[in-house]
Amino acid sequence: MSQHIAGLPASGPSLPIRLRAWLKGRGPLLVVYYGLAILFGLVLVMATPSTPSGVQPIAEARFAPSAAGRPMDNPPLEAMPPDAATVPLPYRCKAVPHPVGCFGLFQLTFRYTASQDEPWSIHVPILSGRITLWVNGALLADSQTIQSDAVVNQAIPLIQRVPTPLLREGENRIDIRMEAWSQSGGFLDMVLVGPDRLLRSAYGEREWMMVTLPRLLVAWQAALCLSLLIVWIGHRDEPIHLVMSLILGLGVLQGLPMFSIEPNGFERLFRVVNFAGQWQGALLPFVMCRLVGRELAVPIRFLLAVPAVIAVAFLIAAIDPARLQQWFALLWLVVVIPWAVAMLGWSAWILISAAIRQNHAPAQIVLGSLIVIIMMAGHDILSVTGVLDLRVPSMTRYMAPLLMTVISATLMWRFAKALGEVSRFNDVLRREVATAEAELRASFDREQAQTRTAALESERLRLTRDLHDGLAGQLVSIVAQCELPQHDYRRIGAAARQALDDLRLVVASLDDVGNDLGMMLAQFYDRIGPQLQAQGIELDWQMAPLPDIEGLRSEHALTLFRILQEAVTNAVRHSGCRRVAIVMAPAPGSNSEGGPDGEGRFAVRIVVRDEGRGIPGGTPGGIAAARSGKGLNNMRMRAASLGAELTLLSGSDGTQVIIDLPFLLPGFRDIQ
């Protein structure tokens, strides 16, 4: 399956020709796509929330840093410490005086007019780290009740209604204690004070963006993770689906602490999961390489070594944070940040190279999301450095879900496209098979028609030969006897009866009895029984269940009938017996499982036995020693034409003609 679609060619004879091909291909579509990506990024980074009118924005505060570990529920003093300084809001509390994190006290003031009878609230649009909120020395809120302390750098909004008795006419004081264990310190946005009805809608917008949306993204990543895992289970030749599923699964683990605020015993695990981003970054070059059809130059286990070291170092630092956290901060600064930048830069280079140099369609799609992510990262960097307004929430948390969503969607699109091509190929193959089947069926019909024609011709020739050799000869004999001057009517009558018997024999052989030898022999019984009875000869007819004989046709029936007819006629004419027995049973050595491939050569044995005087020269139960006459030779020849074996036994106790029929009659292969 080609991974390219029409667009800017990678090479061409000249720039004008390449440009025309680009314009006719997907070039204009890419321009629109990248333009929309840039517009979307600008909307994200420049959408500064407005301050509701009628409320008091507090853009300045007194801040005094404090030592780590100070109780958060100690009532703050009205007088600030001597080292307190005035800071603007929003304010990022840097890691001072502690090397890791930020601890301190903010003090703000606002004015309240008692004539306003509606409830007031205090709204902090963005805060990072744990805070306790005090009004006029009374504790009102602790952010730990709405945030998980296992999530590093989690930014949330806060709103707290102020009891009216607590407010004073005129100036009121707000104290905010902050405790933030983070490399980037803590963050306090501009504080808004005013009627609750005015602040509640602004808080709702912030809560949706900073609390609800991240949780929805976690659920979305879980759905994509499961989808790609199912795709990989069904098609294991594409490991990119499994690796992307792992990356999305790590994103889900990283977001799980947001759903758990109360202590549950997994806090240490959740803190380790904060470093899932490093594992995702280690797997990202592999995904990019497979996405553009390349092999990763470095074994992936080497890339996973760095996140493993970071996780182990974090667990060690957690044993004694006050003493070891500074070493972990140094590791973070020297190793983690450069390594993360290297992984992202490497992945971006793979993507951009394939999109521009190779005109790779999936890479061009993912490149649009990379443009948005670069703008979001630039926004956060400029915000942290103070170039942009800090009041816009950090975009970092949305980068990975956005990139993973676009990559996953691209993989799903590629997979769906492959399925579509397979479906189209199956349709083509199905039509070709149907055409070939129709041609084969027509050829088979022609073969069947030719076979039927050949069979009818063969049967016509056989019938002509039988009538000519049998009935015609007898009629000629009758005519010759009738033309003699002295007519011997008895001989003429006998010859006529013989001709009539032979005609009936031919007619009986034409009856369709299928492949059933028993039914065929029953017709012979219907014919020979009355004849013997008319001559006063008793017929002992014994038939056991017979095995199947393949290839039984009318000419075989006629040949077998003539052998039996000759044997019975000889017994009646020459043995002087009054009783003839015809016994039909499975041949010795054959069984129910016998057959062409079995041990037994013959399937059915037919014995014509009389109790007469026997053939002169024979011994009881021995082979007849008499000279073979014409009739016996004809019987042997007819038996040989059936592939059967004929044995003659004769003695003073009578004569037996034994016919052993094979499992396969001649011509069976021809009729298959």
Side-chain angles (χ1 to χ4, degrees):
M1 180 183 69
S2 174
Q3 294 178 330
H4 293 169
I5 58 176
L8 180 64
S11 61
S14 62
L15 181 59
I17 295 178
R18 295 175 58 191
L19 184 58
R20 284 197 295 271
W22 180 77
L23 291 174
K24 292 180 180 178
R26 62 170 178 269
L29 183 62
L30 287 176
V31 171
V32 174
Y33 173 61
Y34 293 145
L36 291 176
I38 294 174
L39 181 62
F40 177 67
L42 289 175
V43 170
L44 285 179
V45 301
M46 298 182 66
T48 303
S50 60
T51 301
S53 59
V55 301
Q56 297 182 35
I58 306 175
E60 185 178 274
R62 296 279 293 172
F63 175 70
S66 61
R70 176 170 293 184
M72 296 288 289
D73 53 355
N74 273 356
L77 299 176
E78 184 172 355
M80 291 291 286
D83 57 347
T86 300
V87 296
L89 296 180
Y91 180 70
R92 182 169 295 281
C93 171
K94 302 297 178 58
V96 177
H98 198 275
V100 179
C102 178
F103 311 92
L105 174 66
F106 292 90
Q107 189 174 84
L108 309 82
T109 58
F110 68 94
R111 297 192 63 79
Y112 173 73
T113 303
S115 59
Q116 301 174 354
D117 55 355
E118 56 183 336
W120 275 38
S121 293
I122 299 175
H123 174 41
V124 183
I126 306 175
L127 65 90
S128 176
R130 177 191 174 189
I131 68 168
T132 53
L133 178 66
W134 309 72
V135 174
N136 297 326
L139 179 62
L140 290 186
D142 187 342
S143 65
Q144 196 173 31
T145 60
I146 58 174
Q147 67 182 159
S148 172
D149 60 352
V151 181
V152 178
N153 293 330
Q154 182 183 15
I156 60 171
L158 183 144
I159 188 170
Q160 179 60 48
R161 180 172 296 182
V162 182
T164 302
L166 201 60
L167 295 173
R168 303 170 186 167
E169 180 71 20
E171 186 173 275
N172 292 262
R173 177 169 58 92
I174 299 175
D175 296 292
I176 299 177
R177 288 193 182 279
M178 173 170 285
E179 178 187 73
W181 286 94
S182 171
Q183 306 293 335
S184 58
F187 179 80
L188 183 66
D189 196 3
M190 178 188 299
V191 178
L192 305 178
V193 181
D196 182 77
R197 62 179 175 82
L198 298 178
L199 295 175
R200 190 61 63 175
S201 61
Y203 170 75
E205 294 176 359
R206 292 285 183 164
E207 185 188 35
W208 188 89
M209 182 181 298
M210 304 170 69
V211 179
T212 304
L213 181 59
R215 292 181 178 181
L216 291 177
L217 290 176
V218 172
W220 172 245
Q221 291 181 82
L224 288 177
C225 171
L226 184 60
S227 300
L228 289 176
L229 185 61
I230 293 174
V231 171
W232 177 77
I233 292 174
H235 186 57
R236 299 192 178 186
D237 294 338
E238 289 285 353
I240 186 174
H241 296 134
L242 176 63
V243 176
M244 268 307 300
S245 177
L246 291 176
I247 291 177
L248 291 166
L250 289 170
V252 173
L253 289 176
Q254 194 174 19
L256 283 181
M258 289 189 296
F259 296 87
S260 176
I261 298 175
E262 298 295 331
N264 51 26
F266 294 99
E267 285 75 14
R268 183 178 295 273
L269 175 62
F270 285 162
R271 290 190 179 95
V272 176
V273 170
N274 279 289
F275 299 96
Q278 280 66 43
W279 295 91
Q280 292 176 310
L283 296 174
L284 192 58
F286 175 84
V287 172
M288 292 301 183
C289 285
R290 287 306 181 101
L291 182 69
V292 300
R294 292 172 48 185
E295 292 291 335
L296 189 64
V298 180
I300 195 170
R301 60 178 179 276
F302 291 167
L303 302 181
L304 295 176
V306 174
V309 171
I310 296 171
V312 172
F314 176 79
L315 291 176
I316 295 175
I319 298 175
D320 187 359
R323 190 166 61 90
L324 300 177
Q325 193 71 12
Q326 55 184 327
W327 297 105
F328 181 76
L330 180 61
L331 176 68
W332 186 271
L333 181 63
V334 175
V335 177
V336 176
I337 294 179
W339 180 83
V341 172
M343 291 297 101
L344 295 177
W346 185 13
S347 302
W349 169 250
I350 296 172
L351 190 68
I352 295 173
S353 176
I356 296 178
R357 294 183 176 181
Q358 303 174 12
N359 193 30
H360 197 273
Q364 290 170 339
I365 295 175
V366 179
L367 185 59
S369 66
L370 186 63
I371 293 174
V372 178
I373 290 174
I374 291 174
M375 297 178 68
M376 296 165 74
H379 163 269
D380 283 3
I381 293 174
L382 295 177
S383 297
V384 172
T385 56
V387 177
L388 292 180
D389 190 355
L390 288 176
R391 297 207 62 224
V392 177
S394 171
M395 299 291 175
T396 305
R397 68 174 62 187
Y398 309 111
M399 293 180 188
L402 175 61
L403 181 61
M404 296 304 108
T405 298
V406 175
I407 294 176
S408 302
T410 304
L411 293 178
M412 300 288 280
W413 167 73
R414 196 170 70 176
F415 184 73
K417 188 177 178 182
L419 290 179
E421 291 194 0
V422 171
S423 179
R424 288 191 290 274
F425 176 76
N426 287 336
D427 291 340
V428 173
L429 188 61
R430 192 178 298 110
R431 288 195 294 270
E432 291 180 352
V433 169
T435 303
E437 185 178 357
E439 293 176 353
L440 287 176
R441 188 179 297 107
S443 177
F444 179 75
D445 292 341
R446 289 193 297 271
E447 291 289 336
Q448 287 289 313
Q450 293 176 0
T451 301
R452 285 194 296 271
T453 303
L456 290 174
E457 180 65 17
S458 175
E459 191 67 14
R460 187 185 65 80
L461 293 176
R462 184 191 66 80
L463 188 58
T464 302
R465 184 175 60 250
D466 289 341
L467 293 175
H468 178 270
D469 296 343
L471 184 60
Q474 292 165 353
L475 291 176
V476 169
S477 177
I478 294 172
V479 171
Q481 292 182 29
C482 291
E483 292 176 349
L484 290 176
Q486 300 296 328
H487 299 304
D488 186 348
Y489 294 106
R490 297 187 59 184
R491 294 186 60 183
I492 294 173
R497 282 194 296 272
Q498 186 176 359
L500 182 60
D501 291 342
D502 192 77
L503 179 60
R504 289 174 176 171
L505 204 65
V506 172
V507 173
S509 67
L510 296 177
D511 290 346
D512 185 11
V513 294
N515 205 34
D516 193 338
L517 179 62
M519 291 291 295
M520 187 177 292
L521 293 173
Q523 292 182 341
F524 181 75
Y525 171 80
D526 294 340
R527 179 176 174 277
I528 199 66
Q531 295 179 17
L532 294 177
Q533 186 179 7
Q535 300 180 47
I537 305 296
E538 179 186 355
L539 174 63
D540 182 9
W541 182 270
Q542 302 178 27
M543 180 184 291
L546 303 177
D548 294 334
I549 293 180
E550 303 293 344
L552 194 59
R553 292 183 293 183
S554 57
E555 64 264 33
H556 301 138
L558 181 59
T559 302
L560 182 58
F561 287 175
R562 282 178 169 164
I563 295 173
L564 297 175
Q565 176 78 39
E566 185 71 21
V568 172
T569 300
N570 290 337
V572 173
R573 287 181 178 175
H574 307 297
S575 67
C577 68
R578 307 306 304 171
R579 183 171 178 270
V580 174
I582 301 178
V583 180
M584 294 142 287
S590 68
N591 49 45
S592 59
E593 297 179 356
D597 300 327
E599 295 181 356
R601 177 185 171 189
F602 299 105
V604 176
R605 167 167 289 184
I606 303 175
V607 179
V608 180
R609 183 175 62 242
D610 63 66
E611 298 174 351
R613 65 179 68 93
I615 299 176
T619 57
I623 299 176
R627 182 175 59 87
S628 298
K630 183 179 178 181
L632 183 58
N633 288 334
N634 286 338
M635 293 170 63
R636 291 187 188 280
M637 291 176 61
R638 285 168 175 159
S641 68
L642 295 176
E645 187 173 279
L646 187 142
T647 304
L648 178 63
L649 300 177
S650 182
S652 57
D653 56 343
T655 302
Q656 297 184 54
V657 178
I658 303 173
I659 308 158
D660 291 320
L661 296 175
F663 285 100
L664 297 180
L665 292 176
F668 171 68
R669 303 297 181 188
D670 299 336
I671 64 176
Q672 281 191 314

